[in-house]
Amino acid sequence: MTSLPNFTDSLSQLIACSSISSTLPSWDQGNLEVIQLLATWFEQLGFTIDIQAVPDTSNKFNLLAKLGNGEGGLLLAGHSDTVPFDENRWQSNPHQVLNQDDKFFGLGTCDMKGFFAFILQVTKDLNAKQLKKPLYILATADEETTMAGARFFAKNQHIKPDVAIIGEPTNLVPVVMHKGHMSHRISVEGKSGHSSKPNLGINAIEIMYKVIGQLIKLKETFDTNYKNDAFDVPAPTLNLGAISGGDNANRICGHCHLDIDLRSLPGMSDAELINWLSDALKPLAEQYPGRITFEEMHPSSPSFEQKKQEQSISECFISVAEEISGHSCCAVNYATEAPYIQQLGCQTIVMGPGSIDQAHQPNEFLAHSEIDKTEKILLSMIQRYCLS
């Protein structure tokens, strides 16, 4: 049997497997190399391995590894892909770990291939015969774009662990709430013509100007009427992210597009957001029949909230996570795979090493100081939910 790598070597091997997810075909890659590497390691440790192709993706796969038998247990989950990178802003090769200044630099060290390197280390000495409940490890595909891997897993798996930890970088603070995310493209169809005769055309930019005015009013409504103080940005947000239109200064603009981003609070449904958006644009849609449309750019991600269970403190996962981590639970503004994992019927938290401030940034890193803390937390969770 080939000896298993130590933490530094396993992290280096994972980072060397490029697995970028992007909506741009020129950047988008498969993740099979990462999945096969993880499968090789965990199979050596006695885990049963299940690799599944994710439908409607290009060469993307999920991995589920299981050690032990029975019901319940612990699921440790994370995504196997990374975002693209700007090579000119990196001071080292993004796909080679640079161990320097008590930090591991590399694309995915923090977000979030490093989590799997930690899992490998803490499972090296586990004996399946000693486990009273199973330990599951899930590596998903395409989290950074469509979350297709987690969506597929939630719909097609029949496991039901007692609890799940998603190892996104939270500085090892348990996250029990986050906002949802959806994005839409608003399109205005005008009528082009010569700029010297504006009355013979319909300027799409001028209509979009009015659309933006309605969206600003909707933002103000969110700020005034909807708040959740668990978040540092307590209201739902609406961001005007990108705009394009027209082709020449001396032509009446015939087309204009605006891409917007909406982040909802827990308890808000996609249908509510779409209704608010429709109501905001309705007066203009009636004024300019057939000229204003909006469509979802990619599948939305729901908000997430893990409420405290009506159990004893020793059985409530939130209480256990706070006790083991030494941190109070919190809410974050970004989206994760947590709502999909929660659909398995398990208590779910997001908690992992590293800071979200490093994610999606040039010179992404994972600090050496995270190693002992992360391994102790994972070992404590395995002890409580699989060995006790």
Side-chain angles (χ1 to χ4, degrees):
M1 182 176 74
T2 305
S3 61
L4 290 164
N6 62 24
F7 179 82
T8 301
D9 289 343
S10 60
L11 182 64
S12 298
Q13 290 181 49
L14 289 166
I15 302 310
C17 299
S18 186
S19 55
I20 293 169
S21 289
S22 175
T23 55
L24 298 174
S26 59
W27 269 109
D28 195 48
Q29 299 174 336
N31 69 333
L32 185 57
E33 188 178 5
V34 179
I35 293 297
Q36 289 177 332
L37 182 62
L38 292 172
T40 298
W41 291 339
F42 289 114
E43 193 170 31
Q44 286 186 51
L45 292 173
F47 285 78
T48 57
I49 303 298
D50 182 18
I51 297 174
Q52 294 185 336
V54 179
D56 303 317
T57 65
S58 177
N59 201 35
K60 314 261 181 163
F61 298 84
N62 287 341
L63 163 75
L64 180 66
K66 178 185 178 183
L67 187 69
N69 298 302
E71 301 297 321
L74 170 65
L75 170 64
L76 301 175
H79 60 84
S80 61
D81 57 324
T82 71
V83 292
F85 62 92
D86 185 345
E87 191 168 7
N88 294 330
R89 297 177 63 197
W90 276 76
Q91 296 175 356
S92 61
N93 185 335
H95 290 126
Q96 291 182 4
V97 169
L98 174 64
N99 190 350
Q100 181 177 290
D101 299 328
D102 293 326
K103 299 181 180 78
F104 297 105
F105 293 89
L107 181 65
T109 51
C110 171
D111 185 21
M112 60 170 292
K113 292 178 178 178
F115 187 59
F116 295 108
F118 284 113
I119 296 172
L120 178 65
Q121 300 313 306
V122 300
T123 54
K124 280 183 177 179
D125 296 323
L126 281 182
N127 183 338
K129 295 179 180 178
Q130 296 176 335
L131 267 62
K132 296 181 179 178
K133 290 187 175 184
L135 172 64
Y136 299 96
I137 298 161
L138 172 65
T140 60
D142 233 29
E143 188 270 352
E144 297 291 5
T145 48
T146 65
M147 298 201 183
R151 294 174 197 272
F152 173 64
F153 185 80
K155 288 181 180 179
N156 293 276
Q157 295 301 320
H158 302 292
I159 69 167
K160 188 179 178 181
D162 295 314
V163 297
I165 299 172
I166 300 172
E168 291 277 7
T170 69
N171 288 318
L172 298 173
V173 175
V175 169
V176 294
M177 195 184 306
H178 68 59
K179 292 183 178 180
H181 173 245
M182 64 192 311
S183 54
H184 282 76
R185 170 164 290 174
I186 301 173
S187 299
V188 174
E189 180 80 15
K191 181 181 178 182
S192 60
H194 199 285
S195 61
S196 65
K197 293 187 175 183
N199 61 312
L200 298 182
I202 298 173
N203 195 307
I205 291 176
E206 292 181 4
I207 299 176
M208 188 64 81
Y209 166 78
K210 296 178 181 180
V211 167
I212 290 172
Q214 291 297 101
L215 296 177
I216 296 297
K217 289 180 182 178
L218 181 57
K219 282 182 64 174
E220 293 169 350
T221 298
F222 286 160
D223 289 339
T224 302
N225 298 326
Y226 301 93
K227 295 285 177 67
N228 185 326
D229 290 329
F231 295 93
D232 58 5
V233 180
T237 56
L238 192 164
N239 181 61
L240 312 181
I243 192 167
S244 61
D247 51 33
N248 214 53
N250 63 0
R251 272 170 50 83
I252 298 167
C253 176
H255 305 276
C256 192
H257 307 284
L258 173 66
D259 296 343
I260 65 171
D261 163 294
L262 290 155
R263 295 186 183 261
S264 59
L265 297 174
M268 288 181 169
S269 68
D270 287 359
E272 282 181 294
L273 291 176
I274 291 171
N275 285 338
W276 281 324
L277 192 58
S278 297
D279 289 345
L281 300 180
K282 187 176 179 180
L284 293 174
E286 291 174 349
Q287 185 179 351
Y288 301 99
R291 296 197 178 276
I292 301 173
T293 58
F294 67 90
E295 61 181 347
E296 195 172 53
M297 295 179 66
H298 50 72
S300 63
S301 298
S303 60
F304 161 68
E305 182 177 10
Q306 176 61 58
K307 296 180 179 179
K308 280 199 171 187
Q309 302 293 302
E310 294 181 0
Q311 302 167 310
S312 65
I313 290 177
S314 63
E315 294 177 327
C316 174
F317 192 33
I318 290 177
S319 300
V320 171
E322 290 182 329
E323 172 198 333
I324 289 177
S325 70
H327 297 287
S328 297
C329 292
C330 71
V332 295
N333 298 306
Y334 54 84
T336 76
E337 295 175 324
Y340 302 107
I341 300 303
Q342 197 177 41
Q343 290 172 21
L344 300 175
C346 52
Q347 298 181 70
T348 304
I349 63 168
V350 183
M351 181 176 65
S355 169
I356 195 65
D357 294 338
Q358 298 304 320
H360 303 191
Q361 298 297 318
N363 307 309
E364 177 186 345
F365 68 82
L366 180 70
H368 289 191
S369 58
E370 299 290 278
I371 296 176
D372 288 344
K373 294 185 294 184
T374 304
E375 291 185 355
K376 286 178 181 177
I377 287 174
L378 291 177
L379 284 169
S380 294
M381 289 293 185
I382 292 170
Q383 175 66 41
R384 186 176 291 252
Y385 290 102
C386 301
L387 293 168
S388 299

